[in-house]
Amino acid sequence: MSRNLPLEQVRNIGIIAHIDAGKTTLTERILYYTGVTYKIGEVDEGTTVMDWMEEERKRGITITAAAISCDWHDHRVNIIDTPGHVDFTAEVERSLRVLDGGVVLFDAVQGVEAQSETVWRQADRYHVPRICFVNKMERVGADFQNTLNMIVDRLHAKPLAIQMPIGAEDKFQGIIDLIERRAYAADGDRAKTVEEIPVPENEKPKVEEQRHKLIEQMAELDDQMLNAYLEGTEIATEDIKAALRRITLANKAVPVLCGSALSNRGVRLLLDAVIDYLPSPSDMPPVRAIDIKDNSPIIREAKDNAPFTALAFKVVTDPFVGRLVYFRVYSGEVRAGDQVFNPTRGKSERIGRLFLMRANKRDEIECADTGSIVSTLGLKNTFTGDTLCSQTQPVLLDSIRFPEPVISIAIEPRTRVDQDKLGEALRKLTEEDPTFKVTYNEETGQIVIAGMGELHLEIIVQRLLSEFGVSAKVGRPRVAYKETITTAVQAEGRFIRQSGGHGQYGHVWLAIEPAGLGGGFEFIEHVKGGAIPRQFIPPIEAGVREALADGVVAGYPLVDIKVTVYDGSYHEVDSSELAFKMAGSIALRNGVKKANPVLLEPIMKMEVVTPKEFMGDIIGDITGRRSHIESIETHGEICIIQALIPLSETFGYATTLRSQTQGRAGHTLEFNSYQEITASLAKEVIEKAGMAKYA
């Protein structure tokens, strides 16, 4: 893709929101109005371009982030439509890592929902400028002002309403642009511009009031706007838009628009706002990297003539062309056939064919330049989060961090033919999805797959059958418990084997202490006086990490531990890497047994949306599930209950909730934290894990 547009005219955006807010419906309208498609795809009919997977069309939800490019007013817009369900939050995480801007959708009836908060925090983490679109203004219960209030209360953000709706629910007639004082009705068909209508007389006083409020809010956030405001003269539309762009790019506030994607209202105006207020790659700060030659920090500017630097953010197994790696180019350019370096793996790779993606379809291109989001064939050793760069000027970008799985099931093939296919299919799925893990339990001989939730694993099993032709039997869902320690100890590890010839000698002392919940694992080398030669330190760490995989309480992984190797001894002849690896593993297991180990269980944040009349029954039920209710909000006849609940108590809850509320309530779950389990419950878990006692 040679540079046919200036970098300033490129936009890389993601559509992010809670499930059912209308992301895919909006994206389908965008594709129609930009000329990519000639017919609007509908989620309910299974005719969407973006939800192309069989499971997505069958269930009416987005499972995997889909990328597509379109053109609008001489600008190239690269869009990633992300899933809304919490089980697929990794798709949002990796998309936001490589995007420059985001469009956050809110359901005008529900406002800010549980997953809305999650994706907002993810966007905050990557400092992604955003605009908001309050969708579904035509639905019963739609309330634009309530959504603005919830953005303030729940997201602690500063919304700047640059539009206001004309009516709501069945009286929703159109949108008023407060900056230009213009009113618009439906977007019309693809060939026409958006239909402009006169501003209703009864709305004119409110328009002036809201416009004045908008300018006041902007004056508080932008010095140039403040000076113009204090002069007391009419501020030009262009100046207001320029100030709003500066405010948005600085993440000081978010412009808020409204409309209805389903009834084709406000989509064109949203596209205009994407061009006007969201950043191009050149507006973003230069990407920070590490020079692998001397580990010094370095920056890469978004220029075509800079050294090539890119980040692989997605791996997909395409049934027609094979293994596709998606990457974002931060600087420089790359052509099909070029040799690049992967510093994450320490290997060189050759770029195969390059594609500009259109969901599951591909347009082949010769060159990917700065700001491009493309995919390629031929990268056998590149995985999600890996850096790709120039061979002569290698740098390493920050990788992408994903949450650990919280639920697992045992899986086994139904036939010998399935057994041969299963391993390869699971390997491909783990390459695609970093939150999907596969382990082999040597004690039971079972393959155990782990993921982010019941739906996540259910879809994995369905994909095994539909995409890979593997039929499998699965066990019941199991909670992914963890283990940790509560006191600091010192422990010795000896691995000494003498034989007639060359023996083995490894001896270490470790200081083992809690790192605090969420602290992760930290390994520190603090050996003095050459008690252990430096070449044996990495094997000690490898042995410690290996021992972390199986805890001493019930065999679950050990987490949140800080380990310091501070002493030991070695033998001039018999010491080896293997001996010190074994000594490190022995020392950790000996120490953990003395450090008062405990079990941890995953705690989920649950949000239940229900009619008021069922609130009492629901609260009584979830209280009996060891939950802690954090808040109860009421919006008209709808009640929103937020609670923290152990994952083990949520299995089958959807069925219970449906029966309690005649199918009128819904709930969402997302991982919150790990917490220590009580002694009585720990006994039950240990017994189920096949352990005799609390060791």
Side-chain angles (χ1 to χ4, degrees), residues 190-475:
R190 201 163 61 91
K192 296 178 182 176
T193 57
V194 61
E195 180 187 348
E196 187 172 346
I197 57 174
V199 176
E201 288 296 324
N202 63 325
E203 295 284 7
K204 286 183 177 179
K206 188 176 180 182
V207 169
E208 293 306 312
E209 176 191 336
Q210 293 298 317
R211 190 176 191 273
H212 184 73
K213 179 182 175 183
L214 171 65
I215 292 172
E216 277 188 338
Q217 290 174 312
M218 291 173 62
E220 293 175 2
L221 301 167
D222 184 81
D223 290 341
Q224 293 182 46
M225 194 68 179
L226 177 62
N227 294 334
Y229 177 71
L230 292 176
E231 289 174 4
T233 57
E234 178 72 14
I235 304 172
T237 296
E238 293 74 18
D239 293 337
I240 297 175
K241 287 187 173 183
L244 188 57
R245 180 175 179 80
R246 289 193 298 272
I247 290 167
T248 306
L249 297 192
N251 269 315
K252 293 179 178 178
V254 286
V256 183
L257 299 86
C258 61
S260 167
L262 189 64
S263 56
N264 308 323
R265 292 175 181 169
V267 179
R268 290 174 181 271
L269 299 177
L270 175 62
L271 277 167
D272 291 342
V274 166
I275 303 303
D276 290 340
Y277 307 124
L278 289 182
S280 71
S282 59
D283 292 316
M284 301 301 288
V287 65
R288 296 181 179 275
I290 298 294
D291 189 330
I292 66 169
K293 293 177 182 176
D294 56 10
N295 286 330
S296 62
I298 193 171
I299 60 170
R300 286 281 184 259
E301 295 190 10
K303 295 180 179 178
D304 289 338
N305 58 2
F308 171 66
T309 310
L311 185 76
F313 68 96
K314 187 178 174 73
V315 176
V316 174
T317 302
D318 188 291
F320 300 105
V321 296
R323 188 178 190 267
L324 283 170
V325 176
Y326 287 66
F327 63 90
R328 155 75 191 263
V329 182
Y330 284 99
S331 67
E333 58 182 29
V334 68
R335 295 182 176 275
D338 282 357
Q339 194 87 7
V340 298
F341 183 61
N342 179 342
T344 313
R345 311 285 166 182
K347 295 186 177 181
S348 293
E349 296 262 59
R350 184 174 296 281
I351 299 288
R353 297 159 67 193
L354 284 169
F355 300 107
L356 198 62
M357 296 303 296
R358 299 191 184 276
N360 64 328
K361 295 182 172 59
R362 301 160 297 278
D363 291 341
E364 189 162 356
I365 54 176
E366 288 301 316
C367 175
D369 47 32
T370 300
S372 299
I373 294 178
V374 297
S375 67
T376 183
L377 291 170
L379 302 184
K380 296 179 181 178
N381 299 304
T382 298
F383 300 88
T384 299
D386 287 2
T387 301
L388 297 171
C389 62
S390 160
Q391 288 194 304
T392 56
Q393 295 175 279
V395 295
L396 189 64
L397 299 174
D398 273 347
S399 190
I400 310 172
R401 295 169 181 83
F402 297 102
E404 286 295 312
V406 296
I407 187 171
S408 63
I409 56 174
I411 184 169
E412 60 180 68
R414 290 187 180 275
T415 67
R416 183 169 293 278
V417 174
D418 291 322
Q419 186 172 2
D420 296 337
K421 297 181 189 174
L422 182 61
E424 180 66 13
L426 291 176
R427 183 188 64 78
K428 290 178 178 178
L429 288 170
T430 52
E431 285 187 5
E432 287 187 19
D433 186 350
T435 60
F436 174 63
K437 306 288 186 186
V438 180
T439 56
Y440 180 73
N441 189 320
E442 293 185 1
E443 293 180 8
T444 62
Q446 291 178 315
I447 296 171
V448 178
I449 59 174
M452 299 306 297
E454 289 182 89
L455 180 63
H456 187 194
L457 295 182
E458 182 184 329
I459 287 173
I460 288 286
V461 173
Q462 288 297 321
R463 288 186 64 192
L464 284 173
L465 180 61
S466 60
E467 291 181 32
F468 299 98
V470 180
S471 182
K473 295 183 285 185
V474 297

Side-chain angles (χ1 to χ4, degrees), residues 14-19 23 62-66 80-99 104 115-116 118-123 125-126 128 313-314 400-403 435:
I15 312 289
I16 56 177
H18 186 89
I19 191 169
K23 296 180 297 301
T62 301
I63 293 170
T64 182
I80 296 183
D81 175 30
T82 64
H85 198 286
V86 68
D87 282 13
F88 311 106
T89 188
E91 293 289 331
V92 184
E93 187 80 22
R94 60 177 160 198
S95 299
L96 287 172
R97 172 65 177 82
V98 298
L99 292 170
V104 188
Q115 190 65 5
S116 308
T118 301
V119 298
W120 194 272
R121 287 196 302 271
Q122 289 172 307
R125 185 158 57 248
Y126 294 115
V128 176
F313 68 96
K314 187 178 174 73
I400 310 172
R401 295 169 181 83
F402 297 102
T435 60

Side-chain angles (χ1 to χ4, degrees), residues 610-652:
T610 176
K612 267 186 183 178
E613 60 198 271
F614 305 113
M615 186 175 70
D617 291 341
I618 290 172
I619 290 174
D621 180 60
I622 62 176
T623 302
R625 294 173 181 261
R626 297 194 290 128
S627 72
H628 167 68
I629 294 176
E630 289 195 306
S631 67
I632 300 173
E633 299 175 19
T634 303
H635 302 286
E637 291 301 310
I638 296 296
C639 182
I640 300 173
I641 304 165
Q642 289 196 322
L644 295 177
I645 183 170
L647 174 64
S648 59
E649 301 287 349
T650 65
F651 296 151

